Amino acid sequence: MSVDLDHTPRCLLVSDRSSFLHEKNRINSQVEQLNFNYKVSLLLPECGSTPSHLDSMLNNFSTFYLIRKLPIYELLDKRFLETAVYQGCVYGLSYRTRIDEDICVALMPNGHLCLSLDKDSFQVLGVEGKASRFSHRTKSRYVVSVDMTESSMVPGGRGYLRLLTGLKSRLPLKSDFLLSHHPGGGASLQALLSRYDWSEHKPEVSTHALTCLSCPTQLTSIPPNFDPHSFLEWLGAVDADISCENSSCSFLSSLACPEPKTMLSQALRVSVCGLLLPQDILRLIQEIRCYLDQPQLQSWVALTVHGFVDSPVSWGGREHGALRGGENFYTLLMGEDHTYHLHLVTGAHDTCPP
Amino acid sequence: MSVFMDLNLIYTGDRTGLRTLLETAAHLGFSTVAINYVFEPTSKKKQEIPTPTPINELIDHLPVVQGRSRPIRVLNRLTVVMSDSSHFRPNATEYRSFDLLAVQPTTEKLFHAACMLYDVDIICISVSEKLPFFFKRAPVNGAADRGVVFEVSYSAAIRDSTLRRYTIANAINLMESCKGRNVILSSAAEKALELRGPYDVTNLGLLFGLSDGDAKEAVCSTCRSVLLHAETRKTASGIIYTMRSCSDSAGQEGAPGDPEHGDPPAAKRHKLVLTQ
């Protein structure tokens, strides 16, 4: 029996091409559906330093809070539900928990609380849940998804009490938690934050200037010049600082820039890391559209948004898992006449992006 | 999915080396490891089964697993390399001090006996020689039904290129018979440099003929089922277990009805029925 080594890990790629001016473009819903964004990276060709309005936009991303050792039953606290969750804008994710080893918790802005549990914890917790869609031979991962805005989950309701006793006495879960509230305002979160050890964080912005970058030509042409795989591979290599020279004496990387290519004298790579909200990303996209409107040398900007690898949910609250890498990201290639190419990618254990 | 485990770290007697090994394993992301005492009895002289050194003597503070907040869990394991059926004594008392029990059969008859009869958790597939026998479906399926897993070690492949060929050949033979079920991948590392991270071991599993899901399970879920199987060996099918109570004298004071004092223990009195 020969081992099939050509078989590469499966990934799902959805490509979309449209214009911002087109009334039926789905870009807003596609961006908003990815609730938990970890990193935004921008590639600005022929640009030496960040333009001022883009810079101020990047530095004004919403702050987020990190609570250490938060007992998860506190997310069911009546005051927290009334002041924050029911108003519809809390984003919460457990921090430093691995999706394929530990228990992960996510609180989505539509009031859904999602717990991804291993088999023993699920059996101890005693709340209704489903086996993970990505179980292989045996079911070893279970997902409990609760809608906090439902009538049975009103404080005092049957479902609410069952989950509360489960999280308090049967399975006392504690983990570090990232919390963010839109529109900016930790005021409604203060009641919860004041009881535990918390710290406020601003998303970290880092800039890197590149010189002599080989880049594919006519990126935004329609029909597209390149297949998405080679384009995304090149973009990822630029983002990760991997050389695409493919010189004969270097065995570290055999990645090469897709042909036909041109040489850019300079380019700027900017990245923002933290718990980033979809609303901030939509505002950033608008700013980039204004930037491209001005007469410039370059004709495109590439924006990549990465979701959290260890989040139990990805687009639209659908289940997310990690087989060998839990990537879920999208790349938006914006052209000068308000056209865009959008590529949404997920790994093997994931549902199809919208 | 459960936590990542490496159930084969060879015990060499070198305390510092073992400490570095445990720290590297915790750094790479393994949450549970097992220190393997290899016992190879020869027919010439009688050898004693080694007793495991308690973990707190080996290392003071267990290192915390990278990315989590718990320290690494360390277990003890015994591997008996069998070239004769008398080498493995079922229900020997020395085996009780080990958490996991493994055998490495060297002939086909012993392999068949190990799969169908012996009360072990792991059957090791030898990687240092070309296997003299082929795996037949019947004993492999029998072992799978009983919950016994097969283990393939990869650190020999790191050390030597000839051993690399043997490892891959033997592993592919195994996968043909067992279809990727009930297999664990572990390192058999003697030095910290021979350990690899869990996702790298998953990729190595692809080279051995496992599918994506099977290779990942070989590092986490199947290892978890081995630990549960080992616990059932000590208990009555996993339902009842006995625990030694802390001290006997404390128990005596509370015992009711000490016969020396002359008070009989409370008992039901037979009800006298009055007859007319």
Side-chain angles (χ1 to χ4, degrees):
Chain A
M1 175 182 112
S2 65
V3 176
D4 185 12
L5 285 174
D6 294 333
H7 188 67
T8 46
R10 187 185 89 124
C11 70
L12 290 168
L13 169 65
V14 172
S15 294
D16 198 7
R17 197 179 71 226
S18 178
S19 159
F20 288 108
L21 303 171
H22 197 283
E23 62 210 19
K24 283 199 187 156
N25 73 62
R26 299 187 303 136
I27 185 74
N28 282 357
S29 79
Q30 280 161 329
V31 169
E32 270 169 10
Q33 277 184 52
L34 189 62
N35 290 314
F36 302 107
N37 306 291
Y38 166 63
K39 181 172 165 184
V40 167
S41 34
L42 269 181
L43 184 63
L44 300 160
E46 299 296 352
C47 188
S49 61
T50 330
S52 56
H53 49 279
L54 270 183
D55 193 43
S56 63
M57 176 72 234
L58 288 167
N59 283 313
N60 281 332
F61 268 51
S62 313
T63 54
F64 58 96
Y65 304 94
L66 170 64
I67 309 177
R68 285 191 192 80
K69 295 212 185 352
L70 174 76
I72 302 298
Y73 69 80
E74 287 284 355
L75 296 175
L76 298 174
D77 175 50
K78 191 162 168 225
R79 249 175 76 192
F80 175 67
L81 288 177
E82 280 166 5
T83 53
V85 176
Y86 292 158
Q87 313 307 326
C89 296
V90 180
Y91 296 78
L93 189 63
S94 58
Y95 180 59
R96 284 168 62 100
T97 50
R98 304 266 171 93
I99 187 69
D100 45 3
E101 287 184 75
D102 300 321
I103 299 171
C104 294
V105 183
L107 179 61
M108 292 186 277
N110 59 359
H112 276 78
L113 179 69
C114 182
L115 299 154
S116 175
L117 307 159
D118 57 78
K119 188 170 182 182
D120 298 324
S121 315
F122 173 69
Q123 288 172 343
V124 168
L125 180 63
V127 176
E128 207 179 305
K130 285 197 302 237
S132 161
R133 288 182 49 191
F134 310 117
S135 301
H136 184 58
R137 284 188 208 265
T138 50
K139 298 185 188 141
S140 49
R141 194 107 206 138
Y142 290 82
V143 176
V144 171
S145 184
V146 178
D147 184 1
M148 303 304 299
T149 54
E150 229 179 26
S151 51
S152 63
M153 292 305 292
V154 161
R158 235 180 33 183
Y160 176 86
L161 287 173
R162 180 149 185 97
L163 184 59
L164 190 64
T165 41
L167 290 172
K168 260 191 176 162
S169 48
R170 291 192 293 263
L171 185 71
L173 286 177
K174 260 191 198 176
S175 86
D176 293 349
F177 213 73
L178 290 170
L179 212 52
S180 184
H181 188 264
H182 175 81
S188 41
L189 301 176
Q190 276 306 326
L192 179 66
L193 293 175
S194 54
R195 294 202 286 270
Y196 296 98
D197 174 21
W198 65 277
S199 52
E200 187 171 353
H201 296 267
K202 219 166 133 49
E204 207 182 293
V205 182
S206 68
T207 323
H208 195 85
L210 306 161
T211 53
C212 301
L213 178 71
S214 55
C215 150
T217 50
Q218 294 184 311
L219 274 174
T220 51
S221 63
I222 293 166
N225 243 353
F226 307 98
D227 76 301
H229 286 280
S230 41
F231 165 65
L232 288 174
E233 212 172 67
W234 168 79
L235 192 63
V238 170
D239 201 31
D241 240 351
I242 297 173
S243 144
C244 280
E245 300 303 316
N246 198 15
S247 62
S248 51
C249 53
S250 161
F251 293 97
L252 281 177
S253 153
S254 59
L255 295 168
C257 180
E259 300 278 348
K261 58 184 180 186
T262 174
M263 186 68 85
L264 291 174
S265 56
Q266 55 178 353
L268 193 68
R269 193 180 74 211
V270 187
S271 70
V272 189
C273 285
L275 178 64
L276 310 172
L277 303 183
Q279 290 86 355
D280 289 334
I281 295 173
L282 280 172
R283 284 210 315 261
L284 178 65
I285 293 177
Q286 294 299 338
E287 277 297 326
I288 298 176
R289 280 177 63 192
C290 298
Y291 168 71
L292 281 170
D293 260 343
Q294 302 158 15
Q296 311 282 351
L297 272 176
Q298 75 291 353
S299 58
W300 56 268
V301 170
L303 170 82
T304 306
V305 180
H306 297 263
F308 277 87
V309 164
D310 292 313
S311 149
V313 293
S314 72
W315 275 281
R318 283 173 277 204
E319 197 190 330
H320 168 75
L323 179 59
R324 266 178 281 153
E327 62 265 10
N328 53 341
F329 67 91
Y330 59 90
T331 298
L332 185 61
L333 179 65
M334 293 189 269
E336 47 192 358
D337 44 355
H338 298 278
T339 54
Y340 68 85
H341 293 235
L342 176 67
H343 305 287
L344 305 130
V345 181
T346 60
H349 275 187
D350 222 322
T351 40
C352 191
Chain B
M1 294 295 161
S2 68
V3 294
F4 293 123
M5 306 190 195
D6 187 343
L7 297 179
N8 194 344
L9 299 182
I10 307 276
Y11 176 77
T12 47
D14 171 22
R15 294 272 165 101
T16 3
L18 197 60
R19 220 167 282 152
T20 334
L21 202 53
L22 288 176
E23 278 161 19
T24 315
H27 176 71
L28 287 170
F30 288 105
S31 301
T32 307
V33 291
I35 298 182
N36 189 11
Y37 294 79
V38 181
F39 174 58
E40 189 159 359
T42 50
S43 43
K44 290 187 190 134
K45 51 177 181 164
K46 186 142 170 48
Q47 277 161 312
E48 302 246 324
I49 295 176
T51 46
T53 329
I55 307 295
N56 45 13
E57 277 180 38
L58 283 174
I59 188 165
D60 301 323
H61 291 289
L62 289 171
V64 173
V65 181
Q66 189 210 63
R68 306 180 73 206
S69 48
R70 292 211 193 141
I72 195 169
R73 189 174 158 207
V74 183
L75 304 169
N76 285 318
R77 165 185 155 167
L78 175 70
T79 302
V80 181
V81 182
M82 290 168 52
S83 40
D84 189 69
S85 52
S86 62
H87 290 167
F88 178 76
R89 286 179 289 128
N91 303 321
T93 46
E94 294 94 333
Y95 297 163
R96 287 211 202 119
S97 45
F98 292 95
D99 301 301
L100 294 167
L101 198 52
V103 284
Q104 186 172 325
T106 46
T107 68
E108 179 152 17
K109 231 175 94 178
L110 290 171
F111 178 76
H112 188 97
C115 287
M116 308 297 273
L117 300 171
Y118 291 164
D119 192 13
V120 291
D121 306 311
I122 302 172
I123 296 178
C124 304
I125 305 300
S126 127
V127 293
S128 50
E129 52 176 7
K130 186 85 179 71
L131 273 179
F133 57 92
F134 287 109
F135 296 107
K136 301 233 165 56
R137 291 273 163 89
V140 167
N141 288 340
D145 290 337
R146 285 174 58 216
V148 179
V149 301
F150 299 96
E151 181 197 46
V152 180
S153 310
Y154 62 80
S155 73
I158 295 172
R159 280 182 230 136
D160 190 61
S161 61
T162 325
L163 294 179
R164 203 173 299 156
R165 287 207 306 271
Y166 291 149
T167 311
I168 299 180
N170 293 347
I172 292 182
N173 277 338
L174 174 67
M175 302 315 163
E176 275 176 12
S177 319
C178 73
K179 304 261 189 296
R181 285 190 317 162
N182 280 54
V183 177
I184 62 170
L185 296 169
S186 58
S187 64
E190 289 168 17
K191 297 191 295 242
L193 276 178
E194 290 165 6
L195 272 176
R196 294 292 180 268
Y199 292 105
D200 290 331
V201 178
T202 308
N203 284 335
L204 192 61
L206 296 180
L207 205 64
F208 292 161
L210 290 165
S211 69
D212 274 336
D214 285 336
K216 182 126 189 227
E217 274 191 2
V219 196
C220 52
S221 319
T222 318
C223 295
R224 174 180 169 266
S225 57
V226 170
L227 292 190
L228 293 175
H229 184 264
E231 277 179 34
T232 62
R233 258 188 324 108
K234 286 188 187 170
T235 66
S237 302
I239 299 172
I240 307 173
Y241 70 97
T242 55
M243 231 167 53
R244 186 182 289 275
S245 60
C246 6
S247 63
D248 287 331
S249 56
Q252 285 290 348
E253 284 164 18
D258 198 350
E260 289 174 1
H261 287 254
D263 287 330
K268 272 203 286 207
R269 276 183 243 273
H270 185 69
K271 207 166 171 183
L272 295 168
V273 177
L274 294 169
T275 54
Q276 302 232 319

